Amino acid sequence: MTTDFLSLDELKQKIHALIAGLYPDSNPEQLTRACFDAIGPRLNKDVVAPERLWSERDTLLITYGNSLREAGHKPLDTLQNFLHEKLQGTFSAVHILPFFPHSSDDGFAVIDYTQVDPELGDWDDINALAQDFKLMADLVINHVSSQSLWFRNYQYGKDPGRDYFVEAAPNYDLSNVVRPRTSPLLRKTDTADGVKHVWCTFSHDQVDVDFRNEKVLLEYLRIIGRYLDEGAQWIRLDAVAFLWKELGTSCIHLRQTHDVVKLVRLLTEYKNAHALLISETNVPNRENLTYFGNSNEAHIIYNFSLPPLVIHALLAGDCTYLKSWMMSMPPPPVGCAYLNFTASHDGIGLRPAEGLLSEKELGEMLSTLESFGGKISSRTDAEGNAKPYEANISLFDAFKGTLNGTDKWQVERLIMSQAIMLSVEGIPAFYIHTLFATPNDYDKLETTGHNRSINRRNWSLSDLDARLSKPGGPGERVFNELTRLIKIRAAQPAFHPNATQFTLHIRPEIFAFWRQSMRRTQSIFCIFNLSDQAQELSLSDINLISTENWVDLISGQPVDDLYGKMVLQPYQNLWLTNYLGE
């Protein structure tokens, strides 16, 4: 339920109750008023029906502000121009990864949340993008840069920042803490009050803030208010699962973390009824689903299990694990949606595959990805052992071959992975390098020494133009076909993010499911040959209604014999529908 269906008094009561639970020593009435002051004046209070928050026309592009470069131009200008010239009418939303001054992790160690990195552009450039697209901005909410004003003030005992960070004694038992990294959790830091040890979930340049201090909450509400004022409409809560720290616990998914998300949602919707919260929680599937709450936490959650399962299915030529997962996935609650992706600026998360892929299947997949030039990053488990955390590889190179080795079907597998993503219940999100069939960037990997750099290439516009215009080249083939599929999808009501989805059972080589529009005017049978061999399909297996005319949206070919057989070529995609528009 959005705040537009609540009276202001009801909204204040909900916020008051959350604050009383989070900060029992505070004055809830006073802190509630402070929260409203921090988020700032309302921008939009129009009532938005849940089914209108998004539609089949919504597709998200994920990009760094400097993924594209052109001499003499600001990167954000270059991005804006490229979107207009090459992707006009293709994407409705753009996620610009952290565009703030930063000290490491390609933006995720934020020095100043209120400024745009001058190497990228300025707020006017962000505003311009927000005029043309639904803009997603990152709220890096768990940690700040060690070079930030807050952390420098912490070291000198000054405000703001003096009490903004989590301290722990180095001899305290922290073995229960869940970590996504292998670096030591605590950083030894000299301060005006002597040596302290501060909490660093990710790296020692990314120091965790202490949300147990209500002043930290108010700081981040002010930041959200600023982003919304600058035109952002979607707010991505980065690494939010680790937000609240309680010694003696796992410090992940704590009740207080979920309550902070509820609080942020209420205030964000109050500020702008069209604004959406997206949770970024790269964790096992069941844990990830908890961030919907009772339709009162994130509007959208990343479908983190999709990337490893799609990659495994295409490398193995077998949909068994992908199909089992899909059958187990609940429809999102009313007013909520999944964000589907297969590649991102990070690696391919492996924790979301826990309990879904066996150790044997996972090991075979990782060995194959390493043979294709990928790297494997690790985390430390509760016993202190290093465990695979993510695979670092460009999605294009992840499909160089199968578990049996390299072959000639790399482009076809990449396109199929995106066709599956476009078809599955939810909002599709494309990492910009997937559109270009960008290969592994070994030069950047060598320069930075960070595994994730392998999939964070910075294209010069001239080199990219050459790649996309080379007839028959992978860049041209992938870019043209993916943009074509996106535009086809946008006209299909059965691809609404919340339209019905039903898994079909054919055989391991053929992944298939059915989508039906919310008004039941359209059905689409999504069928994918995951193998490098032609596969015969009996149309009786999918039970097409004989009183209607059916056509494949992708090829444009009609289905002439509803009781006959079709031969699917290696890695062929089908969108069989009974609806060609009004």
Side-chain angles (χ1 to χ4, degrees):
M1 177 181 290
T2 68
T3 60
D4 298 283
F5 297 98
L6 298 173
S7 70
L8 187 56
D9 284 343
E10 289 172 325
L11 174 62
K12 288 179 178 178
Q13 288 171 11
K14 284 182 174 291
I15 292 173
H16 183 284
L18 288 167
I19 285 173
L22 286 166
Y23 305 105
D25 296 331
S26 71
N27 180 321
E29 291 82 5
Q30 183 177 340
L31 188 50
T32 297
R33 289 194 298 272
C35 286
F36 279 96
D37 289 342
I39 202 75
R42 301 187 83 169
L43 297 172
N44 187 324
K45 55 183 179 180
D46 295 336
V47 171
V48 183
E51 66 272 13
R52 294 183 57 202
L53 291 169
W54 39 72
S55 77
E56 61 273 13
R57 294 180 295 278
D58 282 313
T59 304
L60 175 72
L61 179 70
I62 305 168
T63 180
Y64 278 103
N66 62 357
S67 291
L68 309 178
R69 295 177 179 273
E70 185 178 15
H73 295 268
K74 293 183 292 185
L76 288 174
D77 275 347
T78 301
L79 175 62
Q80 174 89 303
N81 293 336
F82 183 86
L83 292 173
H84 281 283
E85 292 174 11
K86 300 286 190 181
L87 294 172
Q88 189 70 38
T90 305
F91 291 93
S92 64
V94 176
H95 174 199
I96 304 177
L97 290 154
F99 47 78
F100 320 104
H102 61 277
S103 54
S104 64
D105 199 15
D106 287 337
F108 286 92
V110 178
I111 294 175
D112 188 345
Y113 291 94
T114 66
Q115 300 296 321
V116 175
D117 185 345
E119 293 188 6
L120 300 178
D122 53 33
W123 281 115
D124 287 341
D125 299 307
I126 297 297
N127 299 155
L129 283 160
Q131 292 295 316
D132 297 329
F133 301 94
K134 298 173 184 177
L135 178 66
M136 184 192 290
D138 279 284
L139 184 68
V140 184
I141 196 170
N142 179 73
H143 49 262
V144 298
S145 167
S146 64
Q147 297 181 29
S148 65
L149 174 64
W150 293 350
F151 193 67
R152 293 202 309 271
N153 281 351
Y154 165 78
Q155 292 174 293
Y156 289 106
K158 297 167 56 178
D159 289 321
R162 174 178 53 84
D163 49 0
Y164 281 14
F165 297 93
V166 182
E167 299 174 352
N171 60 350
Y172 197 90
D173 182 7
L174 300 172
S175 60
N176 289 330
V177 176
V178 173
R179 296 288 313 287
R181 298 289 186 273
T182 56
S183 57
L185 176 61
L186 300 181
R187 164 186 163 147
K188 184 178 179 181
T189 302
D190 292 323
T191 76
D193 294 325
V195 174
K196 303 290 184 181
H197 293 82
V198 293
W199 198 288
C200 299
T201 296
F202 290 88
S203 79
H204 283 192
D205 187 41
Q206 295 165 294
V207 190
D208 289 31
V209 292
D210 190 355
F211 264 84
R212 296 173 299 181
N213 181 348
E214 60 263 33
K215 290 187 289 185
V216 170
L217 170 70
L218 295 175
E219 291 279 15
Y220 280 93
L221 291 176
R222 281 188 281 270
I223 293 164
I224 294 171
R226 174 67 183 274
Y227 293 174
L228 296 172
D229 287 337
E230 296 290 355
Q233 192 168 331
W234 295 9
I235 304 296
R236 177 182 182 269
L237 302 178
D238 176 66
V240 68
F242 303 99
L243 179 141
W244 197 278
K245 314 298 188 299
E246 287 289 343
L247 296 179
T249 74
S250 65
C251 296
I252 187 171
H253 313 314
L254 298 188
R255 185 268 304 171
Q256 296 92 332
T257 292
H258 286 281
D259 283 351
V260 170
V261 176
K262 293 172 187 175
L263 180 62
V264 168
R265 172 160 174 167
L266 288 169
L267 288 161
T268 299
E269 287 184 333
Y270 163 81
K271 174 80 171 182
N272 183 349
H274 295 178
L276 302 175
L277 285 188
I278 295 87
S279 63
E280 190 271 327
T281 49
N282 189 358
V283 294
N285 194 50
R286 289 183 181 274
E287 298 172 31
N288 187 36
L289 290 171
T290 64
Y291 284 86
F292 280 139
N294 185 22
S295 295
N296 60 354
E297 294 189 36
H299 299 85
I300 300 171
I301 66 171
Y302 281 80
N303 224 341
F304 274 109
S305 296
L306 187 64
L309 292 177
V310 166
I311 290 169
H312 175 266
L314 281 161
L315 294 183
D318 185 335
C319 71
T320 300
Y321 294 95
L322 177 61
K323 185 176 70 172
S324 296
W325 164 78
M326 178 175 276
M327 291 171 60
S328 72
M329 285 294 283
V334 174
C336 298
Y338 295 115
L339 188 72
N340 296 324
F341 73 110
T342 53
S344 74
H345 60 290
D346 289 340
I348 300 156
L350 302 177
R351 289 206 70 209
E354 290 179 10
L356 302 174
L357 288 176
S358 69
E359 290 292 327
K360 175 178 178 293
E361 301 290 346
L362 181 61
E364 289 176 347
M365 183 177 80
L366 295 184
S367 295
T368 300
L369 294 178
E370 285 185 296
S371 75
F372 297 159
K375 305 293 181 182
I376 308 300
S377 296
S378 299
R379 68 179 181 93
T380 302
D381 65 14
E383 286 72 41
N385 302 313
K387 294 192 67 175
Y389 177 72
E390 66 182 20
N392 303 106
I393 191 170
S394 82
L395 192 63
F396 181 50
D397 279 353
F399 294 128
K400 278 184 175 180
T402 67
L403 297 180
N404 297 321
T406 58
D407 60 22
K408 64 179 182 179
W409 301 105
Q410 184 177 14
V411 167
E412 287 77 9
R413 273 187 291 269
L414 180 64
I415 291 171
M416 176 167 283
S417 72
Q418 303 311 284
I420 291 172
M421 181 187 73
L422 283 166
S423 310
V424 173
E425 178 182 25
I427 302 167
F430 286 79
Y431 187 39
I432 195 168
H433 291 299
T434 303
L435 292 177
F436 308 150
T438 301
N440 291 334
D441 190 341
Y442 297 111
D443 290 339
K444 189 169 186 179
L445 173 64
E446 184 177 355
T447 298
T448 67
H450 299 302
N451 286 350
R452 286 178 169 177
S453 296
I454 202 170
N455 193 29
R456 296 179 177 180
R457 184 184 293 265
N458 304 103
W459 278 105
S460 74
L461 203 56
S462 58
D463 288 345
L464 180 60
D465 284 340
R467 183 172 182 79
L468 299 185
S469 60
K470 183 179 179 181
E476 184 217 33
R477 291 172 61 195
V478 169
F479 185 83
N480 289 344
E481 182 62 6
L482 293 185
T483 52
R484 186 178 79 90
L485 292 177
I486 293 169
K487 290 174 182 176
I488 292 173
R489 179 189 186 277
Q492 315 308 320
F495 282 142
H496 185 285
N498 299 116
T500 297
Q501 178 172 286
F502 185 83
T503 310
L504 302 178
H505 304 275
I506 300 179
R507 57 181 176 274
E509 297 84 0
I510 297 179
F511 180 49
F513 51 94
W514 171 68
R515 303 293 308 277
Q516 184 183 61
S517 61
M518 299 170 78
R519 295 185 178 181
R520 301 186 179 180
T521 56
Q522 181 187 32
S523 289
I524 299 179
F525 288 89
C526 307
I527 304 171
F528 309 93
N529 177 7
L530 300 172
S531 76
D532 57 6
Q533 301 295 316
Q535 299 289 329
E536 189 174 80
L537 173 69
S538 296
L539 292 176
S540 59
D541 289 343
I542 58 175
N543 195 27
L544 302 179
I545 299 173
S546 60
T547 57
E548 299 184 4
N549 296 319
W550 293 84
V551 65
D552 174 27
L553 290 166
I554 296 175
S555 68
Q557 294 298 309
V559 179
D560 296 321
D561 183 0
L562 301 184
Y563 302 99
K565 296 182 178 181
M566 297 180 67
V567 175
L568 276 66
Q569 297 304 312
Y571 303 108
Q572 183 177 352
N573 312 297
L574 293 177
W575 284 343
L576 299 182
T577 189
N578 58 343
Y579 171 97
L580 296 178
E582 298 176 352

